[in-house]
Amino acid sequence: MKIEVKNLSKKFKKVIVVKDINITFKSGNIYGIIGRNGSGKSVFLKMLCAFYIPTTGTILQDGYDYIKNNEFPISTRALIEGPDFIPDLSGLENLKLLASIQNKIGEKEILETLKQVNLYEEKDKKYSEYSLGMKQKLGIAQVLMEDPQVMILDEPFNGIEDSSVKDIKKILKDLKKKDKIIIMTSHIKEDIEELSDVIYKFDGGSLKLKDAE
Amino acid sequence: MRKIKKYKIEIITYLLFIIFVLFSIYKMWYCRPYYGKGKKYENDLTYEKCGEYIKLNETEKIELANKYEHKIELSDKYCDFVLSYSPPDSAYSIYNSFLISSYLQYIIPFFVPLIILFPVVYVISKEFRSKNIKNSLVREDYKKYIINLFKRAYSTVWVFPLIIVILFLISAYLSNWNFAVSGSVANHFIDKVFLTLTTNKILFHISYIVIILLNVGMYINLSLIVLSKNKNLIISYIESYLLVYVFWAFIYIGIGNLLTKNFNIHSAHANLLAIFEWDSITNINIFLILNIICYLFTFVIAILSYRNKEKLIMMCEK
């Protein structure tokens, strides 16, 4: 799979948040994106997910312009600006609810994913009773559970204990070998450098190769 | 237990409705001794006195008519009309005496929107507050998401019309399944409208329930419009409730005047909250058409409120 971003810009009223981005994401790579708060990272990721509509430019998934056609990106899962779930439901119920939308997987796959992110024991606990780390793990589980081709992870290790971070990093490295596209941001330089094949830096709405600085 | 917790708001709403039904049954049962005895209501008195009047000779008729001159009209023609209908304890008169001519006619228009709006506002605002929309919109397209959202909002639309049907069936039971239209009903229940439709009772019943369904649908549409701009439970609940009355006032004053000035139709036909009292409504068809138009108008506005995916996501993110 290939995601081509061409001349992408986003303006809110008169403020340009993302400026003329050209980038191609290819299978089998982890892309790291760094940048200060408010640099436009999240807006860019939201445009990739078709949550926000670009002011100019296009995003093509294997040549298909899903935004122009008012569709959602195929086989893409995202965790942007923290995990968000229904507080009254348990972790497992939340995942089941999301899995029921496409009906690609059953409870067995969901439970396996929860084991992978070390959340199996707490699966029946209400989401509102989860700690920050547990919420984050559930957010990662919803990204991983349906084995998507593209994974967008915004600060995925926030609040997660070291041992689980290690496990999740291993999962991401394995997924890369399975030809997935992983786009992630992190404020921890070491995490990005350890996992990413290519690192980009967001600055003033523009995206530059970190090595090109 | 977990399931009860999960659906607690829906359960509370249904419980409130059940309390309302039980209270109604109690009131109806309590009033039951009066039905048919012609003691409680003026119109039952008319029926009773007409029964007496028709048997009297001319002199006695004049005496009785003079005695009740200020209370009821007693004449051969009028009494023939009153007595040509069945006794006053029909399903309609019981239903009428409870829901339409009792003090509830003033409470219900303010109470019903409050209960109907609550589960809608609660469920949809909870969905928006959870920001789960972002997880859903990478799995399904926006149109499908909105259709499901509307389906959830409309999941309780049948509850209130069903309660009305239950109350009517209880009235029918209390009247020994007497569906004839009595003179007393003709004076009160839906005024002259009912008499014009007595030849087609089924059509009348369908129209009556459809009007109630449309009203409930209108409340849901108005709350969906509010929720597209605000996800706060309390604020959107209050705003939805107020919007119901702003919309009612707009239709009543605006369309009501238009109907009166241009078509010589009483402005009461534009009184959307008159689903119980039916005061001055003389043509059910006009009332039905206006309800359909208002429902479609609010439905289109509700759909247009959710046209912009980006705006809705940003509202949820706030």
Side-chain angles (χ1 to χ4, degrees):
Chain A
M1 185 177 271
K2 193 167 78 172
I3 302 169
E4 292 167 274
V5 178
K6 293 177 181 175
N7 309 318
L8 195 77
S9 298
K10 181 69 185 173
K11 211 158 91 175
F12 289 112
K13 290 181 183 169
K14 284 180 181 174
V15 183
I16 299 170
V17 183
V18 171
K19 212 189 302 176
D20 198 29
I21 291 176
N22 288 284
I23 187 173
T24 302
F25 299 111
K26 288 178 184 166
S27 293
N29 286 294
I30 298 180
Y31 295 88
I33 297 176
I34 53 170
R36 282 174 299 170
N37 290 342
S39 60
K41 288 188 310 263
S42 297
V43 173
F44 172 64
L45 297 180
K46 283 175 193 170
M47 282 196 282
L48 287 179
C49 294
F51 295 160
Y52 290 178
I53 310 302
T55 310
T56 58
T58 52
I59 303 172
L60 307 173
Q61 201 177 31
D62 283 338
Y64 182 70
D65 191 343
Y66 55 91
I67 293 176
K68 194 181 165 189
N69 293 304
N70 284 325
E71 287 173 24
F72 59 100
I74 300 159
S75 196
T76 301
R77 298 290 179 264
L79 171 65
I80 303 173
E81 286 180 344
D84 297 307
F85 293 96
I86 296 167
D88 291 354
L89 302 183
S90 70
L92 179 62
E93 284 169 334
N94 265 298
L95 296 189
K96 274 181 170 176
L97 189 74
L98 291 172
S100 69
I101 296 173
Q102 292 194 338
N103 255 327
K104 278 183 183 170
I105 57 163
E107 194 168 337
K108 193 185 152 202
E109 289 87 349
I110 297 172
L111 292 174
E112 262 169 33
T113 314
L114 285 169
K115 275 180 195 163
Q116 276 186 316
V117 298
N118 301 329
L119 200 63
Y120 184 79
E121 301 297 322
E122 291 88 6
K123 67 180 191 306
D124 295 319
K125 214 172 172 180
K126 246 184 174 183
Y127 177 72
S128 57
E129 291 164 8
Y130 275 14
S131 67
L132 177 66
M134 283 152 75
K135 285 179 179 175
Q136 195 70 13
K137 284 182 199 174
L138 191 70
I140 293 172
Q142 76 76 25
V143 170
L144 301 175
M145 67 178 181
E146 286 153 309
D147 192 28
Q149 279 301 308
V150 184
M151 282 164 256
I152 297 169
L153 299 161
D154 188 13
E155 301 283 354
F157 308 123
N158 261 3
I160 300 179
E161 77 278 2
D162 289 346
S163 59
S164 292
V165 168
K166 213 173 157 187
D167 291 340
I168 293 164
K169 279 181 182 173
K170 190 180 173 302
I171 296 168
L172 294 178
K173 283 174 189 170
D174 290 343
L175 287 168
K176 181 189 144 183
K177 285 176 198 160
K178 288 182 187 169
D179 258 1
K180 310 284 182 186
I181 297 175
I182 299 166
I183 303 164
M184 61 174 283
T185 70
S186 177
H187 65 278
I188 304 164
K189 207 178 157 190
E190 292 76 33
D191 290 340
I192 287 281
E193 283 174 351
E194 182 190 339
L195 292 166
S196 309
D197 298 293
V198 191
I199 302 174
Y200 289 96
K201 188 181 178 185
F202 244 103
D203 194 13
S206 301
L207 195 63
K208 289 168 193 160
L209 258 177
K210 191 176 173 265
D211 296 341
E213 280 185 334
Chain B
M1 196 61 196
R2 187 175 280 274
K3 278 208 166 177
I4 292 174
K5 275 185 185 173
K6 189 175 160 186
Y7 296 108
K8 61 179 181 289
I9 293 303
E10 287 85 342
I11 291 168
I12 290 169
T13 308
Y14 296 146
L15 279 177
L16 277 172
F17 271 124
I18 289 166
I19 291 168
F20 176 65
V21 171
L22 291 176
F23 173 72
S24 310
I25 294 168
Y26 166 75
K27 284 288 288 177
M28 284 175 169
W29 203 263
Y30 172 76
C31 292
R32 198 169 57 115
Y34 294 103
Y35 300 135
K37 288 187 179 173
K39 286 180 183 170
K40 195 173 170 65
Y41 305 105
E42 188 197 344
N43 289 290
D44 294 336
L45 177 74
T46 308
Y47 185 85
E48 188 185 290
K49 291 300 160 194
C50 273
E52 274 179 40
Y53 177 86
I54 218 80
K55 292 171 196 162
L56 302 174
N57 61 40
E58 289 308 311
T59 325
E60 288 168 332
K61 274 181 183 174
I62 294 164
E63 273 176 27
L64 193 68
N66 288 339
K67 191 179 168 187
Y68 287 96
E69 190 181 24
H70 301 295
K71 286 187 179 173
I72 48 176
E73 182 191 341
L74 290 173
S75 66
D76 285 331
K77 196 182 168 189
Y78 184 67
C79 283
D80 279 344
F81 164 75
V82 170
L83 295 171
S84 64
Y85 292 96
S86 60
D89 56 339
S90 76
Y92 302 109
S93 64
I94 295 175
Y95 179 80
N96 164 67
S97 63
F98 172 65
L99 268 182
I100 295 166
S101 62
S102 77
Y103 62 92
L104 277 177
Q105 68 168 305
Y106 304 109
I107 296 172
I108 286 172
F110 300 97
F111 171 75
V112 169
L114 214 54
I115 299 190
I116 291 167
L117 290 172
F118 192 67
V120 181
V121 174
Y122 182 84
V123 169
I124 306 298
S125 76
K126 191 170 86 174
E127 164 71 16
F128 289 164
R129 274 181 283 125
S130 76
K131 301 176 192 172
N132 198 36
I133 185 171
K134 287 195 283 185
N135 297 331
S136 300
L137 288 179
V138 286
R139 291 173 168 88
E140 63 185 338
D141 65 38
Y142 184 63
K143 198 175 158 187
K144 201 175 161 197
Y145 176 81
I146 294 300
I147 289 170
N148 285 331
L149 194 80
F150 271 60
K151 274 186 191 168
R152 284 170 69 186
Y154 267 82
S155 62
T156 50
V157 72
W158 53 272
V159 178
F160 191 66
L162 181 73
I163 283 166
I164 291 297
V165 171
I166 293 170
L167 291 180
F168 185 75
L169 288 176
I170 294 166
S171 307
Y173 171 74
L174 291 174
S175 71
N176 288 323
W177 308 101
N178 176 7
F179 293 104
V181 184
S182 71
S184 65
V185 173
N187 283 340
H188 265 320
F189 181 55
I190 313 173
D191 222 47
K192 295 158 200 159
V193 183
F194 197 87
L195 278 179
T196 62
L197 280 162
T198 45
T199 49
N200 200 341
K201 277 185 196 168
I202 293 170
L203 181 69
F204 173 79
H205 287 150
I206 293 170
S207 305
Y208 188 71
I209 288 298
V210 167
I211 287 169
I212 289 172
L213 256 174
L214 290 168
N215 256 265
V216 176
M218 242 182 277
Y219 303 153
I220 295 173
N221 292 340
L222 293 171
S223 67
L224 281 167
I225 294 167
V226 168
L227 284 159
S228 71
K229 307 277 180 283
N230 196 327
K231 62 176 178 172
N232 183 292
L233 174 66
I234 308 288
I235 294 172
S236 51
Y237 187 44
I238 295 169
E239 280 182 359
S240 303
Y241 189 65
L242 292 176
L243 188 59
V244 167
Y245 295 101
V246 169
F247 186 70
W248 163 76
F250 170 74
I251 298 294
Y252 197 14
I253 298 166
I255 308 294
N257 274 336
L258 202 78
L259 287 176
T260 312
K261 280 181 186 168
N262 298 310
F263 304 101
N264 202 24
I265 295 167
H266 198 291
S267 61
H269 290 85
N271 181 2
L272 296 175
L273 291 175
I275 50 170
F276 297 102
E277 52 177 312
W278 290 76
D279 185 35
S280 300
I281 292 171
T282 52
N283 191 324
I284 194 170
N285 297 328
I286 295 170
F287 195 44
L288 179 65
I289 290 166
L290 192 85
N291 269 275
I292 292 171
I293 293 169
C294 289
Y295 172 77
L296 290 176
F297 175 73
T298 53
F299 186 66
V300 169
I301 299 290
I303 289 174
L304 291 177
S305 309
Y306 288 89
R307 197 176 35 169
N308 194 323
K309 175 165 126 178
E310 188 178 291
K311 266 190 184 168
L312 185 69
I313 293 174
M314 286 169 104
M315 188 276 289
C316 294
E317 283 177 333
K318 271 181 198 165

